[in-house]
Amino acid sequence: MRISMLDTLLHRATLGEKIAMLTCYDASFAKVMALAGVDILLVGDSLGMVMQGAANTLHVTMTDMVYHTRMVAAGAPNTVVMADMPIGSYEHDHVEALANAQALRQAGAHIVKLEGGGAIVHTAQYLVAHGIPVCAHLGFTPQSVVQLGGYKIQGNTDAGAKQLMVDALAMVDAGVSMVLFEMVPSHVAQHITQALPVPTIGIGAGPACGGQVLVLQDVLGIYSGPAAQAPETYKAPRFVHNFLAGASSIQQALTAYVQAVKQGQYPTPSHGY
Ligand code: KIV
């Protein structure tokens, strides 16, 4: 049986190695990230903000995602690539979700990421049953920014924390390979991480997750999306850290990010909620 790059990475995570993940949207940054030792290149639908200049991820299409996934995979053929399924590509119909996930896989993704629990659990299960590795994205889910009333921490009430646990366990039962938590209190992410047999990845979810992800532009201090629209009033979220400050090159900054994640130096408790 052929062991995939993703299986090898998941195995290293079960042995306690932290996963260092960054968003990536093109071949040249994919090369730099591969050289820096980034474990997973996430072709995030945050490309709506950082590549397209939009205010959110709500207009990103499958065509956009396939295009960027192909470029990232071409730049880093020996690194795991995760691709976001954009809004509208997976929520309505399982068969359509599978066709879209397969298109992302053909473009070079090893694993796809879906936002939400609840009804999305069955979609995840369907994709996994058809051979598509899936990462569940829980907590703050950017595709629901309107319904959630803005960029707000999730799981910060007893009921909210319990629901996160229910969703995470249901996603694991559905067969997902990883669970990503965005903007969740650190103690909640820690509690759920300890209960799950698969690695968790955090962004604004504290130091206890099995890995970390940041948006590339945040790591390099480049402001986009809401930040670019109102730079004078913008305050970066507390989990953001500019690794370029103090580094002499982008390569060095990304290597510093990977080392900080691997050695448990980033994030610190002060980066969490
Ligand atoms: O699209 C993206 O960049 C993401 C991260 C915020 C995890 O999903």
Tab-separated table of all heavy atoms in Angstrom, residues 48-115:
chain	number	residue	atom	x	y	z
A	48	GLY	N	-9.967	35.649	-1.363
A	48	GLY	CA	-10.937	36.710	-1.703
A	48	GLY	C	-10.474	38.056	-1.173
A	48	GLY	O	-10.597	39.086	-1.845
A	49	MET	N	-9.927	38.060	0.034
A	49	MET	CA	-9.422	39.307	0.615
A	49	MET	C	-8.014	39.623	0.115
A	49	MET	O	-7.753	40.688	-0.402
A	49	MET	CB	-9.377	39.215	2.151
A	49	MET	CG	-10.723	39.366	2.815
A	49	MET	SD	-11.414	37.759	3.160
A	49	MET	CE	-10.957	37.535	4.850
A	50	VAL	N	-7.097	38.661	0.282
A	50	VAL	CA	-5.689	39.003	0.075
A	50	VAL	C	-5.258	39.011	-1.388
A	50	VAL	O	-4.294	39.680	-1.736
A	50	VAL	CB	-4.758	38.108	0.925
A	50	VAL	CG1	-4.989	38.319	2.396
A	50	VAL	CG2	-4.915	36.643	0.586
A	51	MET	N	-5.957	38.276	-2.252
A	51	MET	CA	-5.599	38.272	-3.675
A	51	MET	C	-6.540	39.156	-4.491
A	51	MET	O	-6.139	39.758	-5.464
A	51	MET	CB	-5.669	36.840	-4.248
A	51	MET	CG	-4.660	35.887	-3.684
A	51	MET	SD	-3.004	36.194	-4.333
A	51	MET	CE	-2.165	36.749	-2.865
A	52	GLN	N	-7.833	39.173	-4.075
A	52	GLN	CA	-8.834	39.845	-4.913
A	52	GLN	C	-9.270	41.195	-4.359
A	52	GLN	O	-10.019	41.915	-5.002
A	52	GLN	CB	-10.059	38.928	-5.071
A	52	GLN	CG	-9.730	37.595	-5.738
A	52	GLN	CD	-10.898	36.616	-5.755
A	52	GLN	OE1	-11.819	36.716	-4.947
A	52	GLN	NE2	-10.856	35.666	-6.669
A	53	GLY	N	-8.858	41.509	-3.119
A	53	GLY	CA	-9.185	42.812	-2.541
A	53	GLY	C	-10.609	42.954	-2.055
A	53	GLY	O	-11.089	44.064	-1.810
A	54	ALA	N	-11.316	41.833	-1.873
A	54	ALA	CA	-12.706	41.907	-1.391
A	54	ALA	C	-12.724	42.027	0.135
A	54	ALA	O	-11.703	41.861	0.805
A	54	ALA	CB	-13.453	40.653	-1.833
A	55	ALA	N	-13.896	42.289	0.683
A	55	ALA	CA	-14.025	42.471	2.134
A	55	ALA	C	-14.143	41.138	2.870
A	55	ALA	O	-13.959	41.075	4.076
A	55	ALA	CB	-15.246	43.333	2.429
A	56	ASN	N	-14.485	40.075	2.146
A	56	ASN	CA	-14.691	38.780	2.796
A	56	ASN	C	-14.519	37.661	1.746
A	56	ASN	O	-14.090	37.935	0.619
A	56	ASN	CB	-16.083	38.725	3.447
A	56	ASN	CG	-17.167	39.132	2.468
A	56	ASN	OD1	-17.192	38.672	1.332
A	56	ASN	ND2	-18.061	40.013	2.894
A	57	THR	N	-14.887	36.429	2.160
A	57	THR	CA	-14.658	35.262	1.274
A	57	THR	C	-15.894	34.906	0.441
A	57	THR	O	-15.902	33.878	-0.232
A	57	THR	CB	-14.270	34.029	2.132
A	57	THR	OG1	-15.388	33.695	2.981
A	57	THR	CG2	-13.047	34.277	2.996
A	58	LEU	N	-16.911	35.745	0.506
A	58	LEU	CA	-18.226	35.324	0.011
A	58	LEU	C	-18.390	35.296	-1.512
A	58	LEU	O	-19.406	34.820	-2.016
A	58	LEU	CB	-19.325	36.183	0.642
A	58	LEU	CG	-19.342	36.175	2.181
A	58	LEU	CD1	-20.511	36.958	2.732
A	58	LEU	CD2	-19.359	34.757	2.738
A	59	HIS	N	-17.400	35.833	-2.238
A	59	HIS	CA	-17.530	35.827	-3.705
A	59	HIS	C	-16.517	34.911	-4.384
A	59	HIS	O	-16.398	34.911	-5.613
A	59	HIS	CB	-17.415	37.255	-4.246
A	59	HIS	CG	-18.447	38.159	-3.643
A	59	HIS	ND1	-19.770	38.107	-4.013
A	59	HIS	CD2	-18.365	39.063	-2.645
A	59	HIS	CE1	-20.462	38.971	-3.279
A	59	HIS	NE2	-19.627	39.559	-2.439
A	60	VAL	N	-15.791	34.151	-3.567
A	60	VAL	CA	-14.778	33.256	-4.138
A	60	VAL	C	-15.489	32.067	-4.805
A	60	VAL	O	-16.452	31.514	-4.255
A	60	VAL	CB	-13.817	32.771	-3.028
A	60	VAL	CG1	-12.828	31.759	-3.576
A	60	VAL	CG2	-13.073	33.967	-2.427
A	61	THR	N	-14.999	31.698	-5.985
A	61	THR	CA	-15.668	30.645	-6.766
A	61	THR	C	-14.789	29.396	-6.873
A	61	THR	O	-13.594	29.435	-6.564
A	61	THR	CB	-15.935	31.139	-8.202
A	61	THR	OG1	-14.652	31.376	-8.820
A	61	THR	CG2	-16.744	32.416	-8.226
A	62	MET	N	-15.371	28.323	-7.349
A	62	MET	CA	-14.611	27.102	-7.615
A	62	MET	C	-13.524	27.373	-8.665
A	62	MET	O	-12.422	26.845	-8.557
A	62	MET	CB	-15.554	25.996	-8.116
A	62	MET	CG	-16.118	25.105	-7.048
A	62	MET	SD	-14.852	24.277	-6.039
A	62	MET	CE	-14.054	23.235	-7.253
A	63	THR	N	-13.855	28.203	-9.654
A	63	THR	CA	-12.843	28.512	-10.686
A	63	THR	C	-11.625	29.164	-10.037
A	63	THR	O	-10.479	28.823	-10.350
A	63	THR	CB	-13.457	29.455	-11.752
A	63	THR	OG1	-14.647	28.841	-12.231
A	63	THR	CG2	-12.519	29.715	-12.898
A	64	ASP	N	-11.869	30.106	-9.103
A	64	ASP	CA	-10.749	30.752	-8.394
A	64	ASP	C	-9.938	29.701	-7.631
A	64	ASP	O	-8.708	29.686	-7.664
A	64	ASP	CB	-11.262	31.768	-7.356
A	64	ASP	CG	-12.048	32.914	-7.969
A	64	ASP	OD1	-11.775	33.261	-9.138
A	64	ASP	OD2	-12.937	33.465	-7.275
A	65	MET	N	-10.652	28.835	-6.910
A	65	MET	CA	-9.960	27.874	-6.039
A	65	MET	C	-9.131	26.871	-6.850
A	65	MET	O	-8.015	26.534	-6.474
A	65	MET	CB	-10.971	27.125	-5.154
A	65	MET	CG	-11.657	27.977	-4.099
A	65	MET	SD	-10.537	28.924	-3.031
A	65	MET	CE	-9.515	27.645	-2.351
A	66	VAL	N	-9.697	26.410	-7.964
A	66	VAL	CA	-8.961	25.456	-8.808
A	66	VAL	C	-7.711	26.136	-9.370
A	66	VAL	O	-6.612	25.570	-9.358
A	66	VAL	CB	-9.874	24.920	-9.934
A	66	VAL	CG1	-9.058	24.221	-11.024
A	66	VAL	CG2	-10.914	23.963	-9.348
A	67	TYR	N	-7.855	27.372	-9.813
A	67	TYR	CA	-6.733	28.120	-10.404
A	67	TYR	C	-5.587	28.269	-9.393
A	67	TYR	O	-4.436	27.931	-9.682
A	67	TYR	CB	-7.263	29.484	-10.853
A	67	TYR	CG	-6.228	30.449	-11.373
A	67	TYR	CD1	-5.553	30.202	-12.563
A	67	TYR	CD2	-5.936	31.621	-10.669
A	67	TYR	CE1	-4.617	31.103	-13.043
A	67	TYR	CE2	-4.998	32.524	-11.143
A	67	TYR	CZ	-4.338	32.260	-12.335
A	67	TYR	OH	-3.405	33.141	-12.805
A	68	HIS	N	-5.921	28.718	-8.185
A	68	HIS	CA	-4.862	28.939	-7.180
A	68	HIS	C	-4.297	27.613	-6.662
A	68	HIS	O	-3.103	27.510	-6.390
A	68	HIS	CB	-5.393	29.801	-6.032
A	68	HIS	CG	-5.517	31.241	-6.423
A	68	HIS	ND1	-4.476	32.135	-6.335
A	68	HIS	CD2	-6.557	31.932	-6.946
A	68	HIS	CE1	-4.868	33.323	-6.778
A	68	HIS	NE2	-6.138	33.224	-7.158
A	69	THR	N	-5.149	26.603	-6.533
A	69	THR	CA	-4.660	25.294	-6.063
A	69	THR	C	-3.648	24.730	-7.051
A	69	THR	O	-2.593	24.210	-6.666
A	69	THR	CB	-5.850	24.318	-5.877
A	69	THR	OG1	-6.735	24.870	-4.917
A	69	THR	CG2	-5.380	22.946	-5.402
A	70	ARG	N	-3.934	24.875	-8.340
A	70	ARG	CA	-3.024	24.350	-9.364
A	70	ARG	C	-1.662	25.043	-9.267
A	70	ARG	O	-0.613	24.405	-9.330
A	70	ARG	CB	-3.642	24.576	-10.745
A	70	ARG	CG	-2.928	23.811	-11.833
A	70	ARG	CD	-3.640	23.892	-13.157
A	70	ARG	NE	-4.898	23.182	-13.188
A	70	ARG	CZ	-6.051	23.676	-13.624
A	70	ARG	NH1	-6.111	24.917	-14.057
A	70	ARG	NH2	-7.136	22.951	-13.627
A	71	MET	N	-1.664	26.350	-9.027
A	71	MET	CA	-0.392	27.091	-8.951
A	71	MET	C	0.403	26.671	-7.719
A	71	MET	O	1.616	26.488	-7.777
A	71	MET	CB	-0.669	28.595	-8.903
A	71	MET	CG	-1.251	29.115	-10.197
A	71	MET	SD	-1.281	30.897	-10.260
A	71	MET	CE	-2.564	31.284	-9.094
A	72	VAL	N	-0.290	26.528	-6.585
A	72	VAL	CA	0.399	26.156	-5.347
A	72	VAL	C	0.995	24.755	-5.483
A	72	VAL	O	2.161	24.517	-5.147
A	72	VAL	CB	-0.569	26.250	-4.135
A	72	VAL	CG1	0.043	25.626	-2.891
A	72	VAL	CG2	-0.954	27.707	-3.887
A	73	ALA	N	0.202	23.822	-6.010
A	73	ALA	CA	0.688	22.445	-6.155
A	73	ALA	C	1.882	22.385	-7.110
A	73	ALA	O	2.822	21.620	-6.885
A	73	ALA	CB	-0.445	21.550	-6.649
A	74	ALA	N	1.863	23.228	-8.138
A	74	ALA	CA	2.983	23.236	-9.090
A	74	ALA	C	4.256	23.741	-8.409
A	74	ALA	O	5.356	23.270	-8.688
A	74	ALA	CB	2.638	24.113	-10.289
A	75	GLY	N	4.106	24.680	-7.501
A	75	GLY	CA	5.281	25.269	-6.840
A	75	GLY	C	5.862	24.384	-5.759
A	75	GLY	O	7.044	24.524	-5.411
A	76	ALA	N	5.063	23.489	-5.185
A	76	ALA	CA	5.542	22.676	-4.059
A	76	ALA	C	5.015	21.247	-4.199
A	76	ALA	O	4.140	20.817	-3.438
A	76	ALA	CB	5.100	23.295	-2.741
A	77	PRO	N	5.558	20.510	-5.168
A	77	PRO	CA	5.006	19.168	-5.438
A	77	PRO	C	5.206	18.171	-4.301
A	77	PRO	O	4.547	17.134	-4.281
A	77	PRO	CB	5.760	18.726	-6.698
A	77	PRO	CG	6.954	19.612	-6.794
A	77	PRO	CD	6.630	20.881	-6.113
A	78	ASN	N	6.102	18.487	-3.352
A	78	ASN	CA	6.367	17.529	-2.262
A	78	ASN	C	5.819	18.003	-0.924
A	78	ASN	O	6.295	17.568	0.131
A	78	ASN	CB	7.876	17.257	-2.164
A	78	ASN	CG	8.377	16.614	-3.435
A	78	ASN	OD1	7.735	15.707	-3.970
A	78	ASN	ND2	9.478	17.112	-3.971
A	79	THR	N	4.872	18.904	-0.955
A	79	THR	CA	4.277	19.411	0.291
A	79	THR	C	2.764	19.189	0.229
A	79	THR	O	2.161	19.281	-0.847
A	79	THR	CB	4.598	20.921	0.459
A	79	THR	OG1	6.014	21.083	0.422
A	79	THR	CG2	4.080	21.480	1.770
A	80	VAL	N	2.184	18.910	1.397
A	80	VAL	CA	0.736	18.680	1.457
A	80	VAL	C	-0.005	19.989	1.148
A	80	VAL	O	0.305	21.040	1.730
A	80	VAL	CB	0.322	18.148	2.852
A	80	VAL	CG1	-1.193	18.071	2.977
A	80	VAL	CG2	0.951	16.777	3.099
A	81	VAL	N	-0.956	19.898	0.241
A	81	VAL	CA	-1.775	21.065	-0.123
A	81	VAL	C	-3.210	20.802	0.331
A	81	VAL	O	-3.787	19.746	0.037
A	81	VAL	CB	-1.749	21.303	-1.659
A	81	VAL	CG1	-2.701	22.426	-2.055
A	81	VAL	CG2	-0.326	21.614	-2.128
A	82	MET	N	-3.753	21.763	1.070
A	82	MET	CA	-5.164	21.702	1.482
A	82	MET	C	-5.895	22.825	0.738
A	82	MET	O	-5.378	23.945	0.676
A	82	MET	CB	-5.282	21.924	2.994
A	82	MET	CG	-6.712	21.874	3.528
A	82	MET	SD	-6.833	22.287	5.288
A	82	MET	CE	-6.045	20.918	6.079
A	83	ALA	N	-7.067	22.515	0.188
A	83	ALA	CA	-7.819	23.562	-0.526
A	83	ALA	C	-9.176	23.768	0.135
A	83	ALA	O	-9.859	22.798	0.481
A	83	ALA	CB	-8.011	23.164	-1.987
A	84	ASP	N	-9.536	25.019	0.305
A	84	ASP	CA	-10.877	25.339	0.807
A	84	ASP	C	-11.912	25.058	-0.256
A	84	ASP	O	-11.719	25.410	-1.431
A	84	ASP	CB	-10.959	26.836	1.139
A	84	ASP	CG	-10.623	27.119	2.582
A	84	ASP	OD1	-10.660	26.194	3.415
A	84	ASP	OD2	-10.319	28.296	2.880
A	85	MET	N	-13.043	24.489	0.157
A	85	MET	CA	-14.204	24.436	-0.736
A	85	MET	C	-14.926	25.768	-0.528
A	85	MET	O	-15.316	26.106	0.600
A	85	MET	CB	-15.084	23.247	-0.383
A	85	MET	CG	-14.318	21.941	-0.598
A	85	MET	SD	-15.366	20.512	-0.852
A	85	MET	CE	-16.127	20.874	-2.423
A	86	PRO	N	-15.091	26.560	-1.596
A	86	PRO	CA	-15.681	27.889	-1.422
A	86	PRO	C	-17.180	27.828	-1.149
A	86	PRO	O	-17.820	26.798	-1.396
A	86	PRO	CB	-15.387	28.572	-2.756
A	86	PRO	CG	-15.298	27.464	-3.740
A	86	PRO	CD	-14.746	26.277	-2.999
A	87	ILE	N	-17.702	28.917	-0.665
A	87	ILE	CA	-19.135	28.992	-0.356
A	87	ILE	C	-19.951	28.610	-1.605
A	87	ILE	O	-19.613	28.992	-2.737
A	87	ILE	CB	-19.487	30.416	0.150
A	87	ILE	CG1	-20.907	30.443	0.694
A	87	ILE	CG2	-19.281	31.472	-0.928
A	87	ILE	CD1	-21.207	31.658	1.565
A	88	GLY	N	-20.981	27.812	-1.387
A	88	GLY	CA	-21.865	27.412	-2.495
A	88	GLY	C	-21.403	26.161	-3.204
A	88	GLY	O	-22.127	25.622	-4.052
A	89	SER	N	-20.215	25.648	-2.859
A	89	SER	CA	-19.683	24.504	-3.626
A	89	SER	C	-19.959	23.167	-2.955
A	89	SER	O	-19.664	22.125	-3.532
A	89	SER	CB	-18.179	24.664	-3.846
A	89	SER	OG	-17.465	24.463	-2.647
A	90	TYR	N	-20.491	23.184	-1.708
A	90	TYR	CA	-20.634	21.895	-1.009
A	90	TYR	C	-21.857	21.805	-0.102
A	90	TYR	O	-22.197	20.714	0.360
A	90	TYR	CB	-19.381	21.625	-0.162
A	90	TYR	CG	-19.103	22.664	0.916
A	90	TYR	CD1	-19.525	22.464	2.227
A	90	TYR	CD2	-18.437	23.848	0.621
A	90	TYR	CE1	-19.276	23.420	3.218
A	90	TYR	CE2	-18.191	24.794	1.591
A	90	TYR	CZ	-18.600	24.579	2.888
A	90	TYR	OH	-18.363	25.527	3.850
A	91	GLU	N	-22.529	22.923	0.172
A	91	GLU	CA	-23.586	22.903	1.190
A	91	GLU	C	-24.918	22.359	0.683
A	91	GLU	O	-25.750	21.910	1.469
A	91	GLU	CB	-23.872	24.306	1.742
A	91	GLU	CG	-22.680	25.135	2.142
A	91	GLU	CD	-22.167	25.974	0.997
A	91	GLU	OE1	-21.922	25.413	-0.088
A	91	GLU	OE2	-22.000	27.184	1.164
A	92	HIS	N	-25.153	22.416	-0.648
A	92	HIS	CA	-26.502	22.164	-1.151
A	92	HIS	C	-26.741	20.725	-1.593
A	92	HIS	O	-27.839	20.207	-1.463
A	92	HIS	CB	-26.800	23.116	-2.318
A	92	HIS	CG	-26.500	24.541	-1.970
A	92	HIS	ND1	-27.041	25.148	-0.866
A	92	HIS	CD2	-25.670	25.457	-2.540
A	92	HIS	CE1	-26.580	26.388	-0.781
A	92	HIS	NE2	-25.739	26.592	-1.774
A	93	ASP	N	-25.699	20.083	-2.116
A	93	ASP	CA	-25.907	18.799	-2.769
A	93	ASP	C	-24.624	17.972	-2.647
A	93	ASP	O	-23.548	18.431	-3.012
A	93	ASP	CB	-26.232	19.129	-4.244
A	93	ASP	CG	-26.469	17.915	-5.081
A	93	ASP	OD1	-25.674	16.978	-5.013
A	93	ASP	OD2	-27.462	17.912	-5.826
A	94	HIS	N	-24.750	16.754	-2.125
A	94	HIS	CA	-23.579	15.893	-1.907
A	94	HIS	C	-22.838	15.564	-3.201
A	94	HIS	O	-21.614	15.531	-3.238
A	94	HIS	CB	-24.006	14.563	-1.276
A	94	HIS	CG	-24.452	14.702	0.139
A	94	HIS	ND1	-24.855	13.644	0.910
A	94	HIS	CD2	-24.531	15.773	0.926
A	94	HIS	CE1	-25.175	14.067	2.105
A	94	HIS	NE2	-25.002	15.372	2.133
A	95	VAL	N	-23.627	15.303	-4.242
A	95	VAL	CA	-23.019	14.880	-5.500
A	95	VAL	C	-22.215	16.044	-6.094
A	95	VAL	O	-21.082	15.878	-6.566
A	95	VAL	CB	-24.120	14.375	-6.475
A	95	VAL	CG1	-23.525	13.988	-7.811
A	95	VAL	CG2	-24.836	13.179	-5.837
A	96	GLU	N	-22.798	17.235	-5.995
A	96	GLU	CA	-22.099	18.427	-6.475
A	96	GLU	C	-20.845	18.671	-5.623
A	96	GLU	O	-19.771	19.027	-6.137
A	96	GLU	CB	-23.051	19.630	-6.365
A	96	GLU	CG	-22.533	20.874	-7.029
A	96	GLU	CD	-23.423	22.090	-6.738
A	96	GLU	OE1	-24.357	21.978	-5.908
A	96	GLU	OE2	-23.153	23.134	-7.334
A	97	ALA	N	-20.969	18.465	-4.312
A	97	ALA	CA	-19.820	18.636	-3.409
A	97	ALA	C	-18.695	17.689	-3.806
A	97	ALA	O	-17.519	18.082	-3.849
A	97	ALA	CB	-20.241	18.380	-1.960
A	98	LEU	N	-19.061	16.451	-4.118
A	98	LEU	CA	-18.038	15.471	-4.496
A	98	LEU	C	-17.359	15.881	-5.808
A	98	LEU	O	-16.131	15.834	-5.913
A	98	LEU	CB	-18.672	14.074	-4.633
A	98	LEU	CG	-17.721	12.953	-5.036
A	98	LEU	CD1	-16.580	12.790	-4.024
A	98	LEU	CD2	-18.472	11.638	-5.191
A	99	ALA	N	-18.140	16.324	-6.774
A	99	ALA	CA	-17.550	16.740	-8.060
A	99	ALA	C	-16.601	17.917	-7.836
A	99	ALA	O	-15.498	17.966	-8.412
A	99	ALA	CB	-18.658	17.116	-9.041
A	100	ASN	N	-16.979	18.835	-6.979
A	100	ASN	CA	-16.118	19.995	-6.715
A	100	ASN	C	-14.853	19.589	-5.950
A	100	ASN	O	-13.759	20.083	-6.234
A	100	ASN	CB	-16.905	21.062	-5.954
A	100	ASN	CG	-17.891	21.784	-6.857
A	100	ASN	OD1	-17.624	21.954	-8.050
A	100	ASN	ND2	-19.024	22.200	-6.321
A	101	ALA	N	-15.017	18.693	-4.976
A	101	ALA	CA	-13.841	18.217	-4.224
A	101	ALA	C	-12.888	17.490	-5.169
A	101	ALA	O	-11.663	17.652	-5.082
A	101	ALA	CB	-14.288	17.301	-3.087
A	102	GLN	N	-13.455	16.706	-6.087
A	102	GLN	CA	-12.598	15.982	-7.045
A	102	GLN	C	-11.860	16.964	-7.962
A	102	GLN	O	-10.695	16.747	-8.302
A	102	GLN	CB	-13.433	14.993	-7.865
A	102	GLN	CG	-13.755	13.747	-7.055
A	102	GLN	CD	-14.849	12.876	-7.658
A	102	GLN	OE1	-15.670	13.359	-8.446
A	102	GLN	NE2	-14.885	11.605	-7.269
A	103	ALA	N	-12.511	18.066	-8.311
A	103	ALA	CA	-11.850	19.078	-9.154
A	103	ALA	C	-10.658	19.687	-8.399
A	103	ALA	O	-9.590	19.928	-8.980
A	103	ALA	CB	-12.849	20.155	-9.561
A	104	LEU	N	-10.830	19.912	-7.104
A	104	LEU	CA	-9.721	20.459	-6.300
A	104	LEU	C	-8.605	19.427	-6.170
A	104	LEU	O	-7.422	19.776	-6.198
A	104	LEU	CB	-10.235	20.905	-4.923
A	104	LEU	CG	-11.153	22.136	-4.961
A	104	LEU	CD1	-11.832	22.361	-3.611
A	104	LEU	CD2	-10.369	23.383	-5.372
A	105	ARG	N	-8.976	18.160	-6.025
A	105	ARG	CA	-7.960	17.101	-5.945
A	105	ARG	C	-7.201	17.025	-7.275
A	105	ARG	O	-5.980	16.902	-7.286
A	105	ARG	CB	-8.638	15.760	-5.657
A	105	ARG	CG	-9.223	15.691	-4.267
A	105	ARG	CD	-8.256	15.135	-3.258
A	105	ARG	NE	-8.139	13.701	-3.421
A	105	ARG	CZ	-7.165	12.951	-2.900
A	105	ARG	NH1	-6.230	13.518	-2.178
A	105	ARG	NH2	-7.132	11.652	-3.091
A	106	GLN	N	-7.924	17.121	-8.394
A	106	GLN	CA	-7.249	17.057	-9.699
A	106	GLN	C	-6.314	18.243	-9.893
A	106	GLN	O	-5.291	18.145	-10.551
A	106	GLN	CB	-8.271	17.015	-10.827
A	106	GLN	CG	-8.696	15.578	-11.133
A	106	GLN	CD	-10.029	15.496	-11.851
A	106	GLN	OE1	-10.470	16.471	-12.461
A	106	GLN	NE2	-10.674	14.350	-11.763
A	107	ALA	N	-6.650	19.359	-9.262
A	107	ALA	CA	-5.797	20.546	-9.369
A	107	ALA	C	-4.560	20.423	-8.470
A	107	ALA	O	-3.648	21.237	-8.552
A	107	ALA	CB	-6.606	21.790	-9.004
A	108	GLY	N	-4.548	19.420	-7.581
A	108	GLY	CA	-3.335	19.196	-6.778
A	108	GLY	C	-3.547	19.181	-5.277
A	108	GLY	O	-2.587	19.014	-4.523
A	109	ALA	N	-4.794	19.349	-4.813
A	109	ALA	CA	-5.031	19.321	-3.359
A	109	ALA	C	-5.007	17.885	-2.847
A	109	ALA	O	-5.551	16.988	-3.492
A	109	ALA	CB	-6.377	19.964	-3.043
A	110	HIS	N	-4.390	17.699	-1.670
A	110	HIS	CA	-4.407	16.374	-1.042
A	110	HIS	C	-5.613	16.231	-0.126
A	110	HIS	O	-6.011	15.116	0.214
A	110	HIS	CB	-3.135	16.175	-0.207
A	110	HIS	CG	-1.889	16.282	-1.029
A	110	HIS	ND1	-1.191	17.455	-1.191
A	110	HIS	CD2	-1.259	15.353	-1.786
A	110	HIS	CE1	-0.164	17.253	-1.991
A	110	HIS	NE2	-0.178	15.999	-2.369
A	111	ILE	N	-6.149	17.342	0.319
A	111	ILE	CA	-7.233	17.342	1.304
A	111	ILE	C	-8.042	18.620	1.094
A	111	ILE	O	-7.488	19.647	0.704
A	111	ILE	CB	-6.645	17.239	2.738
A	111	ILE	CG1	-7.731	17.297	3.819
A	111	ILE	CG2	-5.549	18.245	3.028
A	111	ILE	CD1	-7.233	16.859	5.213
A	112	VAL	N	-9.360	18.544	1.339
A	112	VAL	CA	-10.198	19.746	1.200
A	112	VAL	C	-10.730	20.139	2.578
A	112	VAL	O	-10.822	19.301	3.476
A	112	VAL	CB	-11.372	19.540	0.215
A	112	VAL	CG1	-10.853	19.193	-1.177
A	112	VAL	CG2	-12.352	18.484	0.714
A	113	LYS	N	-11.052	21.409	2.706
A	113	LYS	CA	-11.569	21.925	3.989
A	113	LYS	C	-12.987	22.456	3.785
A	113	LYS	O	-13.252	23.183	2.819
A	113	LYS	CB	-10.637	23.026	4.525
A	113	LYS	CG	-11.112	23.663	5.823
A	113	LYS	CD	-9.988	24.357	6.566
A	113	LYS	CE	-9.551	25.692	6.008
A	113	LYS	NZ	-10.581	26.741	5.994
A	114	LEU	N	-13.877	22.050	4.716
A	114	LEU	CA	-15.287	22.489	4.696
A	114	LEU	C	-15.581	23.249	5.973
A	114	LEU	O	-15.122	22.842	7.038
A	114	LEU	CB	-16.241	21.294	4.701
A	114	LEU	CG	-16.033	20.133	3.761
A	114	LEU	CD1	-17.124	19.088	4.006
A	114	LEU	CD2	-16.118	20.612	2.338
A	115	GLU	N	-16.378	24.285	5.904
A	115	GLU	CA	-16.743	25.057	7.100
A	115	GLU	C	-18.059	24.568	7.689
A	115	GLU	O	-19.033	24.371	6.959
A	115	GLU	CB	-16.850	26.541	6.762
A	115	GLU	CG	-15.512	27.140	6.367
A	115	GLU	CD	-15.560	28.655	6.220
A	115	GLU	OE1	-16.602	29.263	6.564
A	115	GLU	OE2	-14.559	29.223	5.754
